[in-house]
Amino acid sequence: MQDEKLVLTDEWDKTFPQSGKVEHKKVTFHNRYGITLAADMYIPKKNQKKFAALAVAGPFGAVKEQASGLYAQTMAERGYLTIAFDPSYTGESGGQPRYVASPDINTEDFCAAVDFLSVQDNIDKEKIGIIGICGWGGMALNAAAEDTRIKATVTSTMYDMSRVTANGYFDSMNEEDRFKLRQQLNKQRTVDYKSGEYKLAGGLPDKAPDDAAFFVKDYVAYYKGRAYHKRSLNSNGGWNMTSSLSFLNMPINCYSQEIKNAVLMIHGEKAHSCYFSRDAFKKLKGDNKELMIIPGAVHTDLYDNMDVIPFEKIDAFFKKYLK
């Protein structure tokens, strides 16, 4: 299969400084929907015949120049060959129309990243793990239930995008609420088809109102402030989807209790979304599953706060299970 021709920037345009301890290059790979994905590869600067490898993605609506790239570069400094990739339809990756999200396609994106890593000459294909951040934590867990090649999975401040779409924050929606949401989204489909343009769903204000919930202020401080990026939809007033209908109708993690390989779930004690990780962890089986709650941490602390993200723990976890 021939990959799409993507336009990739040569400049270092990340929201974090470049490390001198690793080599960096742009790579592309395709998924089984025929979409070509763009990724940043980070390679440790040490002589090693075969590396353990990690694929990283998230948060939902973000790009590889933000949190996922920070995780990937940091783990490469610790000796792993890593890639941080843009999901289908997002950032520098391919796919039309832009800014579409799908439980199925986005799970496939992780599996496609494993395809790519599995055939690299400098990778031990029996030592591949994944890291999913925020909404991509849910996708990572979904991929781990499907793809037995994934030997170890880390979810960081996990969101279950299908659950929050169908049930609302803190499961506040009922059947009537969902019906009204379906009516609204399907009405918009008609408008979009007529206009030939796809309207983005949701969005962050440039400045959070004083009475906004803390998690909204938290997101605004991250995406509009310290981690703004021109290709990140969350930084530019939208979410990574033109419609959330697929997430209403297609729940993820239906079979997470069947994951046999290792899982580490990390969440902040004060993160509004902590219930996602707690509930998802209850389904997991086996003594190779662990939930780590970071005292006092809020949601975006686990995006980019190097004083909070437990990289020592993540490193020890992968060293234990990618052996």
Side-chain angles (χ1 to χ4, degrees):
M1 177 176 173
Q2 188 172 5
D3 287 356
E4 299 169 83
K5 296 296 183 183
L6 303 181
V7 178
L8 306 178
T9 181
D10 291 327
E11 65 176 319
W12 181 268
D13 59 351
K14 323 301 183 195
T15 61
F16 52 90
Q18 187 169 11
S19 171
K21 299 178 182 178
V22 301
E23 296 178 10
H24 164 263
K25 66 177 182 178
K26 289 288 185 74
V27 297
T28 62
F29 58 94
H30 60 265
N31 67 19
R32 291 199 170 196
Y33 289 94
I35 299 167
T36 300
L37 305 183
D40 286 300
M41 178 181 282
Y42 299 91
I43 308 169
K45 286 185 177 178
K46 65 178 184 178
N47 187 19
Q48 188 166 321
K49 207 168 189 181
K50 297 280 187 178
F51 291 101
L54 305 173
V56 192
F60 194 79
V63 289
K64 63 188 180 305
E65 287 75 21
Q66 297 170 303
S68 61
L70 176 64
Y71 272 69
Q73 180 176 260
T74 303
M75 294 308 293
E77 289 178 332
R78 292 172 175 269
Y80 304 86
L81 186 148
T82 65
I83 58 171
F85 64 89
D86 284 330
S88 294
Y89 310 105
T90 305
E92 292 186 308
S93 287
Q96 293 290 335
R98 302 304 291 165
Y99 310 124
V100 172
S102 157
D104 189 30
I105 295 174
N106 293 151
T107 299
E108 162 62 19
D109 287 343
F110 257 129
C111 297
V114 175
D115 291 341
F116 171 76
L117 291 173
S118 296
V119 300
Q120 303 307 305
D121 291 339
N122 56 348
I123 294 296
D124 184 337
K125 66 180 182 179
E126 298 301 321
K127 297 180 180 180
I128 296 176
I130 61 174
I131 301 174
I133 306 164
C134 191
W136 277 80
M139 301 300 176
L141 206 59
N142 211 41
E146 174 178 302
D147 195 330
T148 56
R149 299 172 301 171
I150 299 170
K151 303 304 182 185
T153 300
V154 168
T155 72
S156 183
T157 198
M158 184 196 114
Y159 248 70
D160 183 329
M161 294 304 299
S162 58
R163 178 176 172 181
V164 76
T165 302
N167 297 336
Y169 285 107
F170 309 110
D171 298 327
S172 59
M173 289 171 58
N174 57 30
E175 183 177 337
E176 184 61 27
D177 294 327
R178 280 189 291 277
F179 179 74
K180 290 179 180 177
L181 179 57
R182 289 188 184 100
Q183 283 185 312
Q184 173 190 335
L185 294 173
N186 283 297
K187 182 178 180 181
Q188 187 62 46
R189 283 191 65 134
T190 303
V191 173
D192 290 347
Y193 194 84
K194 185 175 182 179
S195 69
E197 296 181 352
Y198 294 85
K199 183 178 178 180
L200 298 174
L204 288 173
D206 289 330
K207 183 179 180 181
D210 291 339
D211 61 350
F214 175 77
F215 71 86
V216 175
K217 295 179 180 178
D218 192 25
Y219 285 144
V220 170
Y222 178 77
Y223 286 111
K224 303 292 185 175
R226 65 184 187 270
Y228 173 86
H229 196 279
K230 60 186 177 183
R231 285 192 296 275
S232 169
L233 201 55
N234 291 344
S235 293
N236 291 286
W239 292 105
N240 186 26
M241 61 175 69
T242 59
S243 173
S244 55
L245 276 167
S246 60
F247 286 92
L248 267 170
N249 203 43
M250 295 164 58
I252 60 175
N253 294 319
C254 296
Y255 296 100
S256 57
Q257 70 275 9
E258 297 182 7
I259 298 173
K260 295 189 182 301
N261 289 328
V263 176
L264 169 63
M265 306 186 75
I266 304 165
H267 224 106
E269 177 191 23
K270 294 185 177 180
H272 67 284
S273 54
C274 195
Y275 66 101
F276 289 126
S277 289
R278 292 184 188 277
D279 289 356
F281 182 74
K282 290 175 185 175
K283 289 183 64 178
L284 302 179
K285 297 179 180 179
D287 57 8
N288 57 354
K289 312 297 191 295
E290 185 175 350
L291 174 63
M292 181 180 188
I293 304 297
I294 309 296
V298 300
H299 191 77
T300 61
D301 277 339
L302 287 167
Y303 286 4
D304 64 346
N305 190 333
M306 297 296 286
D307 294 327
V308 173
I309 302 170
F311 281 115
E312 289 287 344
K313 174 67 176 180
I314 295 170
D315 186 17
F317 169 79
F318 282 125
K319 278 187 168 62
K320 180 177 181 179
Y321 292 107
L322 299 184
K323 60 183 180 180

